Amino acid sequence: DIQMTQSPSTLSASVGDRVIITCRASENINTWLAWYQQKPGKAPKLLIYKASTLESGVPSGFSGSGSGTDFTLTISSLQPDDFATYFCQQYNNYPWTFGQGTRVDVK
Amino acid sequence: EVHLLQSGGDLVQPGGSLRLSCGGSGFTFSSHDMSWVRQAPGQGLEWVAITVGGGGGFYYGDSVKGRFTVSRDNSRNTLYLQMNSLRVEDTATYYCAKKIGYGYALDSWGQGTLVIVSS
């Protein structure tokens, strides 16, 4: 199975900060990578798919990049609504696998 | 508007069985891939299973293979997860989610349903 490793596990930031979360795959997944945002008690929400394609309705402050094994999610200017947990997920091969999550909290 | 409405979560004893349901509306159910993802309390996301739209097959996560069965009734726009031989470690919130097709990710999710496996 493909292992997905996110870093950091927790990130403390302030409104207006630029935030970068990384995700590394244990083998080449081309660009078959998605990013999700999850808030407590809620279902995950798709932010980005195919490594860099912004899902409809997602603010333009979110962006994704990478291919192969190394990927990043960038929030250009953290907004109050962005404090949440973020997960990467590969869908290159079954079984699909998720990263362990990155919690973005208030500094 | 796309909506996925889940039901079926419950408290069940180890070794028992349970069936979860997920009804879809606002999209062409039969042509979408439909998946299950779970989240143990306080933990991350774990992919469980998928049924590929258009009769494309079924795939499972390693931890549920041989115990769980995913199915769909396109006439009822409903996705199912039959869970047998349940273990304490299957305790989680189970989400259904849909995927438009090849190259896309899980773009809409149900509200989740809690399964507790305990004696």
Side-chain angles (χ1 to χ4, degrees), chain A residues 95, chain B residues 47-50 58-62 64-66 68-71 81:
Chain B
W47 179 74
V48 173
I50 192 168
F58 310 88
Y59 302 89
Y60 296 91
D62 294 341
V64 306
K65 204 176 296 185
F68 290 12
T69 302
V70 61
S71 63
L81 184 68

Side-chain angles (χ1 to χ4, degrees), chain A residues 7 10 12 18 22-25 33-34 40 45 48 53 56-57 59 69 75 79 84 90 104:
Chain A
S7 61
T10 306
S12 297
R18 181 180 181 87
T22 66
C23 179
R24 174 164 287 178
L33 182 103
K45 173 188 173 185
I48 287 168
T53 303
S56 176
T69 60
I75 309 173
Q79 300 302 301
Q90 69 82 18
V104 177

Side-chain angles (χ1 to χ4, degrees), chain A residues 1 32 36 38 42-43 91 96, chain B residues 39 50 62 95 103-104 106 110:
Chain A
D1 298 359
W32 303 124
Y36 300 89
Q38 188 180 32
K42 300 293 187 182
Y91 53 105
W96 291 352
Chain B
Q39 187 170 38
I50 192 168
D62 294 341
Y95 295 101
Y104 294 86
L106 298 171

Side-chain angles (χ1 to χ4, degrees), chain A residues 77-95:
Chain A
S77 178
L78 196 67
Q79 300 302 301
D81 192 45
D82 299 337
F83 291 100
T85 300
Y86 295 84
F87 295 92
C88 62
Q89 178 229 336
Q90 69 82 18
Y91 53 105
N92 184 69
N93 284 346
Y94 295 118

Side-chain angles (χ1 to χ4, degrees), chain A residues 37-90:
Chain A
Q37 177 193 69
Q38 188 180 32
K39 296 183 179 179
K42 300 293 187 182
K45 173 188 173 185
L46 177 64
L47 299 175
I48 287 168
Y49 62 95
K50 221 158 131 185
S52 61
T53 303
L54 199 66
E55 172 70 352
S56 176
V58 173
S60 58
F62 289 91
S63 63
S65 65
S67 66
T69 60
D70 292 306
F71 302 86
T72 60
L73 172 70
T74 301
I75 309 173
S76 60
S77 178
L78 196 67
Q79 300 302 301
D81 192 45
D82 299 337
F83 291 100
T85 300
Y86 295 84
F87 295 92
C88 62
Q89 178 229 336
Q90 69 82 18

Side-chain angles (χ1 to χ4, degrees), chain B residues 28-93:
Chain B
T28 307
F29 185 87
S30 60
S31 62
H32 282 67
D33 301 349
M34 298 297 300
S35 187
W36 291 97
V37 175
R38 70 183 182 183
Q39 187 170 38
Q43 302 301 309
L45 300 171
E46 180 186 9
W47 179 74
V48 173
I50 192 168
T51 164
V52 178
F58 310 88
Y59 302 89
Y60 296 91
D62 294 341
S63 61
V64 306
K65 204 176 296 185
R67 300 187 300 125
F68 290 12
T69 302
V70 61
S71 63
R72 63 195 296 162
D73 184 340
N74 290 332
S75 68
R76 296 175 182 268
N77 289 351
T78 302
L79 172 74
Y80 301 101
L81 184 68
Q82 178 66 44
M83 303 186 294
N84 297 331
S85 303
L86 281 161
R87 304 168 180 167
V88 170
E89 55 265 34
D90 294 318
T91 295
T93 295

